[in-house]
Amino acid sequence: MAKCPICGKPAEHEFRPFCSARCKKVDLNRWLSDVYRVPADATPPDEDDKSSD
């Protein structure tokens, strides 16, 4: 059985992949607080082309 990514307890079917509503809310709060980030390039590719003009 999969483990909860927040606390490591076994995941419950109702809250999958989490073990409880609490861990589900902790994860949501981390996303909303920018704790989790998706890496991105610092400069969009189309702006690189403008600097060469």
Side-chain angles (χ1 to χ4, degrees), residues 19-33:
C19 67
S20 65
R22 180 190 172 280
C23 284
K24 188 174 180 179
K25 289 178 184 177
V26 167
D27 184 71
L28 177 61
N29 184 54
R30 289 178 181 176
W31 278 106
L32 296 175
S33 300

Side-chain angles (χ1 to χ4, degrees), residues 1-3 6-7 12-13 18-19 27 31 41 44 48 50 52:
M1 181 175 255
K3 292 185 178 182
I6 302 300
C7 69
E12 293 292 330
H13 181 72
F18 307 102
C19 67
D27 184 71
W31 278 106
D41 292 335
D48 288 337
K50 292 178 186 176
S52 63

